[in-house]
Amino acid sequence: GSAVVYRNETKHTWLDVPRKILIRPGPVSQIVAKAMARGVLIATPEADVAASITGHFGPDAPRQQDGLFFVGIASRNTNAPRVVVHRFRFPQPMHELTPLKVRRQRQHQAGRIVCQLLADHLQP
């Protein structure tokens, strides 16, 4: 299964991310990435592993969040899901790129990072 949960209300409704952490510290945070990965794993009982990503790739990102993102990797075990969260930040973009190109470039790079983290996680 998979879910695209861009809106905070969807994160809460579909993945059971607590509303209070969506407000503070906010959706671009380690705790939300962890809750999202755990929520996907719980919502998909057939899965042994789940991934989440939350961040701000621009344009119009607050300066402290521009390029910041978190990746959560959740694994099923006998008691409760185990979740590891990785923090990343893209460097400030070169000025000759348009904001839309920066966003798309960051999205592609983040997707590759998530896939690599999953591959590393699944190594025996």
Side-chain angles (χ1 to χ4, degrees):
S2 65
V4 177
V5 291
Y6 185 81
R7 294 174 55 242
N8 285 344
E9 187 58 29
T10 308
K11 288 175 176 66
H12 171 71
T13 304
W14 291 9
L15 303 179
D16 203 27
V17 175
R19 282 190 175 102
K20 67 180 183 179
I21 67 170
L22 290 166
I23 295 168
R24 191 172 189 99
V28 181
S29 63
Q30 180 176 351
I31 193 168
V32 169
K34 185 174 186 175
M36 288 172 60
R38 180 179 286 123
V40 169
L41 198 60
I42 290 168
T44 315
E46 304 83 8
D48 292 324
V49 65
S52 68
I53 184 168
T54 185
H56 208 319
F57 298 151
D60 303 323
R63 183 121 178 101
Q64 68 275 16
Q65 290 183 350
D66 188 33
L68 177 65
F69 68 105
F70 297 87
V71 176
I73 306 291
S75 300
R76 193 174 303 284
N77 66 25
T78 56
N79 297 325
R82 178 181 162 271
V83 185
V84 176
V85 178
H86 304 268
R87 180 185 191 276
F88 299 92
R89 182 181 289 278
F90 288 120
Q92 290 299 309
M94 300 175 66
H95 294 288
E96 57 268 7
L97 296 176
T98 66
L100 184 57
K101 285 184 180 181
V102 169
R103 180 179 177 82
R104 286 186 178 155
Q105 185 180 62
R106 287 174 171 179
Q107 288 170 331
H108 286 271
Q109 290 173 333
R112 284 193 291 274
I113 288 169
V114 171
C115 289
Q116 185 62 57
L117 288 170
L118 281 169
D120 293 346
H121 179 80
L122 294 172
Q123 287 294 320

